[in-house]
Structures are given as structure tokens and as C-alpha cells.
Amino acid sequence: MNNKIKKVVIAGGGTSGWITANYLSQLVEQVEIVLVESEEIGIIGVGEGTFPTIRRTMQAFGVDEQDLVNHCEATFKQAIKFVNWMQPHSEKEDNFYYHLFDVPRKAPNLDLSIEWLKSHDGGKFAPSVSAQARNCDLRLSPRYPTDRQYESEHNYAYHLDAKKMAVFLAKKAQEKGIQRIEGKIVSVSQNAQGDISALHLESGQKIEGDLFVDCTGFKALLIGETLNVPFESKADNLFVDHALTIQIPYENEQQDIESATLTTAQTAGWIWDIGLQSRRGVGYVYSSKHISHEAAKKELCTYLGKDTSAELDCRLVKMNVGYRSEFWHKNCVSIGLAQGFLEPLESTAIVMIEAAAHYLLEKFPHGQKSMAVSAQRFNDSFKQRWDSIVDFVKLHYVLSDREEPFWVDNREEQGIPTSLQEKLAVWKYHPPSEYDFSINDVFAADSYSYILYGMGYETETPINRLSARPEKDIESFKSFLYGLSKDLPSHRSYINSVKQYGIQKL
């Protein structure tokens, strides 16, 4: 007998819990769904940077984009800007590059990426293939005031307050029929087969279910502590293991807002700098094997322009970098930090939550008999996703020519995944293409191109990829692209406009 899944219990709220709840709310007419969270434990805020996929997710939840901006202190993110990741080769040279969200633009028989490889005139890659680099340089919005919700000529994501977003999404999910139960989980019951059967709360309440989703964060109460699924460390590949975080108010309420996440390399890691509406979120991610906590705080102090590190009220976060050997075990699916965590360099935390929750909805098991098949497919898919992120994040360190021990150690062959070594060998002779990637890769050819060529990687251009378009056609196409950014408002003025007048809905 194939017992149907009648009740889903989500353990934990926060970003992962409430994104999962909103996706699964589409099942509420067939399945009872409850979410258990404790105000005492509080909301786990995961990241302030997102992928462009977040727009599709918010649309799927029926979220008004203006409400998102107003309730989550959201701003618009068009790129990640990498500063000082290479040794300065000229005092006059701007030492930065972009990972843009716009793909390098193409026209019939014209690929600006290939044209850039052909000319190799010393110009930066990103501004040669997209107008979006200019948007970020000038702190422009990706949108015009006349653009409709979620639409723009430029691809974008958001910077937002993750804790406020969790509260915002909690309200949305409960409006759709998701039941929230307040309480602290003190123990977990299992049946004779080892499946989870119930959660026991401090109040004495017992929450039974058929399928359980672990959104308990780093604690991994269900998948780790109860089911004992091992954690696989990736510390041999990604060396950073701590972060010092702080929130910095703007000097005035009309201060310019960056249109990209800033990531500035330091002696033993890097500093993120994210602009929200009323403040910046700043953090130094570093390797404690290469710098002491006190010295890291001094570097953060210098970055912020403070006279002494005693002025900084920082929070120290220990990061255990890696993921579970299984993400779905028996009748428990882990999502979010319970599933895994890799350093925040490319803002992958929330996109992995989105992917896992959406996958669970699309491949929701019909009953107990199909549970093992669903789990295996889920595990295979997300193992590939996590490994693809390791490769992409490691790439930034491998290509750096900085000379401090942290950066030198990152270039040692034993710390570079074999899969990344193989990709780099191919890309000496052929630029990244769709044939190098699978559907489960989080980052594809365009993203790799921005990092490779932003950091000076040399690729021979294959003869069969050379176009024969005249120079005037190339310049005409570039003029068209840059026209897409003409007269865009500043980021700050656009946010002001949204708050005052809203966003076009029709």
C-alpha cells in the first residue's frame, strides 16, 4: 500500500523555512502543511545578496515588487564588483572587474565576447560586452520609472534585509493557508524504520507528520542530530572559516547606493559591502589560519575608515564550509543551512534555498513508496549543484596573483578540485561554452567568462569562432547596447520614486 503524504512539517522558519512554505503552499488543498518556529531562537537571516532567480520566485509567490522594496529595505543588485583581487600592475589602472548579471550580448553572427578575445586591446572585458558595467560605475538603477514590475532591459536581483524578508514571507505563506506553530523543539521521535514521526515541543505539544523539512540552520536538528547524516567539509578547497560582520548607517539618508555587491580583497580573505536603503551591511570573510581575529578586525577597521578597531561593534561568525553527504534522507529533506553552506562570495545561500524548495514542489512524492526514488534524484541533483559552486568560488582564488600566503596557498594544486583543473585546461584553447556545463550547474559559461577574463586569463580564440563582421557593425551594435542605459535614474532616486509613486503594474 502506497500511503499518501498527508502532512508536511517544516522545522524552522527564517529565509529557508518561509521560502519553502510559500512554494509548498500550492499543495495546501491536498496536503496539510505546518511550520514550527521559536521566537526565542529567532529568525536566521541568510545573506543580503540574491540571484536574479529571486524575481521569478517572488512572482511565483504573488509578491508585489513595490511591497518587497518597502518591507524588506530592498535595493537593486546588478553585479558583483571585485576590487583588488589582482596585484596592481599600474598605478593608474583601476584594479577591479565585474561579474555582471547581463549576459555578454550577441547579435546574428556577432558575439562581443569573441570580438573582445580577438582584439585583446587591453580594455576591460565587462564594459566591452555589456552596458551594465556603466550602470554600476555610475550607481544607476537597472530600471526606468515606466518599467513594469519585475521587467527591465537589464537583468537584476536584490540586496535586502534577510530577517525582514523572512517576516514578509511568513505573512504571505500564512495568508495562503500555511499553519505556523510557535514553539521550541526539544526532541524528535522516530518510528521502527528510522523515519521521523514527530517533533516534541517545550510546551509538551507533539507535532506528527509524514514528510519533514529541516530548516533549522547550522544546527541541522533533523538531518544531522537525529538522522546522523554526515557533514562533508570543503575546507581543503575553500579556506575561509570566519566572518566579522557589522551594519553601518549611511552618513545621510540621500547617500548614493551602490548597484553592485562590493567585494574587496584583503590579506587573508575579502570584505563584502552591501548597500540597502538606510544602511550598509559589511563583513570580512577570512581564514583564521592566515590571520588572527584581532588583526582581521584591524583590517576591517581600516576599510571602514575608523581610527581604532575598538569602535567596531562586530559579530564574529564561525563558518563550517561544506554540505551533507545526503540532503534527503528517509522522510527528511534539508533546505538552507541545514543542507550546507559555502562561503558567501557569490551569494549562493538564497539561490540554493530557492532551488531546493522549488524542486521539492515539482517532484513532491506521491506517497511513501516513491520517497526513496525522490530522495535519490534530489541528492544527485544537489550534490552536483554544491560541487559546481565550489568550482566557481575557487576559481576567483586560483586566478589571483596576489602574493600574501593566503592567496599563494589557494593556488596550490592539491586544493584545486580536479573538475576545475580540467575546465581551466580546456579554456586555454576554447572559451567557455554551453557544452562545458550541465543543467545542475549553478553558474554557466557567461559567469565563468566574466571571472576568467576579468582576471586576465589567456584563451586562444578558435578559428571557427571568429566572426567576419566589419568594425562599423560592431560599433553600431555596441551603440545600441549603450542606448539601453541612456537616461537611467540614479539608484537612490529610483528607490525614492518607488517609495513615493510605486511600480507600474500594467
Side-chain angles (χ1 to χ4, degrees):
M1 182 176 179
N2 188 18
N3 295 326
K4 288 187 176 180
I5 306 299
K6 297 179 180 178
K7 185 175 182 180
V8 177
V9 180
I10 303 170
T15 309
S16 57
W18 288 113
I19 285 180
T20 302
N22 273 277
Y23 265 123
L24 296 187
S25 67
Q26 297 180 44
L27 304 173
V28 291
E29 292 185 5
Q30 295 83 33
V31 181
E32 181 186 358
I33 302 171
V34 301
L35 183 146
V36 181
E37 69 174 345
S38 168
E39 290 183 2
E40 179 185 338
I41 295 174
I43 291 173
I44 300 174
V46 180
E48 294 188 326
T50 59
F51 264 43
T53 54
I54 193 69
R55 289 154 60 199
R56 183 178 66 232
T57 297
M58 293 298 105
Q59 285 180 287
F61 295 169
V63 170
D64 186 298
E65 192 173 26
Q66 180 183 347
D67 288 345
L68 183 72
V69 171
N70 289 338
H71 288 90
C72 303
E73 204 170 325
T75 56
F76 295 87
K77 173 184 175 182
Q78 300 183 66
I80 301 174
K81 182 177 182 178
F82 296 89
V83 181
N84 295 339
W85 282 69
M86 304 293 289
Q87 290 288 120
H89 299 291
S90 166
E91 291 183 4
K92 297 180 180 179
E93 183 180 1
D94 292 326
N95 190 6
F96 69 87
Y97 69 95
Y98 284 114
H99 176 192
L100 301 176
F101 286 160
D102 275 358
V103 300
R105 296 292 184 127
K106 299 175 177 64
N109 301 317
L110 176 58
D111 182 336
L112 290 182
S113 298
I114 300 302
E115 294 299 331
W116 182 86
L117 284 170
K118 283 171 55 182
S119 63
H120 220 16
D121 58 5
K124 288 180 180 290
F125 178 74
S128 299
V129 300
S130 171
Q132 196 168 44
R134 174 179 177 273
N135 296 358
C136 296
D137 286 341
L138 300 178
R139 301 186 183 96
L140 302 180
S141 162
R143 300 165 47 89
Y144 293 99
T146 53
D147 286 336
R148 294 180 296 182
Q149 287 201 65
Y150 298 110
E151 293 184 1
S152 172
E153 289 287 354
H154 300 285
N155 203 9
Y156 67 87
Y158 307 103
H159 290 138
L160 42 76
D161 186 313
K163 291 186 177 181
K164 289 183 178 179
M165 184 176 77
V167 173
F168 177 71
L169 293 179
K171 182 180 179 183
K172 291 289 180 185
Q174 290 173 86
E175 289 172 352
K176 298 170 187 172
I178 301 295
Q179 180 186 357
R180 178 189 181 277
I181 298 176
E182 164 64 31
K184 185 177 181 181
I185 303 168
V186 292
S187 65
V188 181
S189 294
Q190 296 172 262
N191 62 21
Q193 291 73 43
D195 289 328
I196 295 173
S197 57
L199 308 181
H200 299 270
L201 308 188
E202 195 172 50
S203 64
Q205 188 175 3
K206 179 181 180 181
I207 312 296
E208 295 179 309
D210 304 306
L211 178 67
F212 291 80
V213 184
D214 189 345
C215 296
T216 61
F218 288 124
K219 185 176 179 61
L221 176 61
L222 308 187
I223 198 78
E225 292 189 9
T226 302
L227 296 179
N228 298 310
V229 174
F231 181 85
E232 296 187 359
S233 173
K234 290 297 172 181
D236 289 343
N237 304 124
L238 302 175
F239 302 158
V240 297
D241 57 2
H242 284 81
L244 283 167
T245 70
I246 190 168
Q247 295 181 0
I248 305 293
Y250 288 123
E251 293 179 0
N252 66 77
E253 61 181 16
Q254 293 305 315
Q255 188 172 329
D256 285 345
I257 302 173
E258 295 287 348
S259 296
T261 300
L262 305 184
T263 63
T264 304
Q266 305 294 312
T267 60
W270 55 276
I271 290 174
W272 80 71
D273 196 332
I274 287 176
L276 301 185
Q277 293 177 28
S278 64
R279 65 169 175 83
R280 294 155 54 203
V282 183
Y284 184 7
V285 182
Y286 59 93
S287 165
S288 63
K289 292 181 180 179
H290 295 86
I291 193 172
S292 68
H293 299 311
E294 187 171 328
K297 192 173 183 181
K298 288 180 179 178
E299 287 194 7
L300 179 59
C301 176
T302 300
Y303 175 86
L304 293 171
K306 303 292 184 181
D307 293 333
T308 170
S309 59
E311 299 178 35
L312 301 185
D313 184 18
C314 298
R315 182 167 68 107
L316 178 64
V317 180
K318 189 178 188 311
M319 300 188 301
N320 197 13
V321 175
Y323 50 73
R324 296 286 157 187
S325 61
E326 292 181 282
F327 315 111
W328 186 334
H329 185 66
K330 295 187 177 293
N331 68 334
C332 176
V333 184
S334 59
I335 294 180
L337 298 177
Q339 185 179 100
F341 176 77
L342 299 176
E343 64 152 288
L345 182 63
E346 284 280 351
S347 305
T348 53
I350 291 178
V351 74
M352 288 294 280
I353 293 169
E354 294 175 73
H358 187 252
Y359 191 110
L360 179 58
L361 171 66
E362 291 296 315
K363 301 293 184 181
F364 194 81
H366 294 286
Q368 299 292 345
K369 283 187 177 180
S370 64
M371 191 83 74
V373 174
S374 298
Q376 186 60 54
R377 296 295 296 273
F378 187 91
N379 288 332
D380 290 346
S381 174
F382 280 86
K383 173 68 164 61
Q384 292 177 42
R385 292 168 196 260
W386 282 110
D387 286 342
S388 76
I389 295 172
V390 173
D391 276 5
F392 189 63
V393 170
K394 184 67 175 182
L395 177 72
H396 301 65
Y397 296 106
V398 171
L399 298 184
S400 174
D401 61 356
R402 287 182 65 112
E403 298 173 350
E404 298 93 340
F406 169 81
W407 299 91
V408 172
D409 289 350
N410 263 291
R411 295 194 290 271
E412 293 294 329
E413 185 174 336
Q414 64 267 26
I416 306 173
T418 302
S419 52
L420 177 57
Q421 294 183 43
E422 292 171 350
K423 291 186 181 87
L424 287 170
V426 170
W427 294 332
K428 286 181 180 179
Y429 309 104
H430 301 276
S433 77
E434 61 188 50
Y435 299 107
D436 300 323
F437 302 93
S438 78
I439 193 172
N440 289 319
D441 286 314
V442 177
F443 298 95
D446 295 325
S447 291
Y448 272 91
S449 293
Y450 281 122
I451 308 308
L452 288 167
Y453 304 129
M455 300 188 77
Y457 195 75
E458 296 287 343
T459 298
E460 293 184 14
T461 310
I463 293 175
N464 64 347
R465 294 290 297 276
L466 300 181
S467 72
R469 296 291 289 269
E471 185 66 28
K472 65 181 180 61
D473 287 358
I474 297 171
E475 292 306 314
S476 176
F477 184 53
K478 285 185 177 181
S479 296
F480 162 74
L481 292 183
Y482 279 89
L484 300 178
S485 294
K486 185 179 180 182
D487 299 325
L488 281 170
S490 74
H491 197 172
R492 172 64 74 182
S493 66
Y494 182 74
I495 291 293
N496 291 343
S497 174
V498 170
K499 296 176 79 66
Q500 185 172 1
Y501 302 111
I503 297 176
Q504 296 266 11
K505 293 181 172 60
L506 298 176

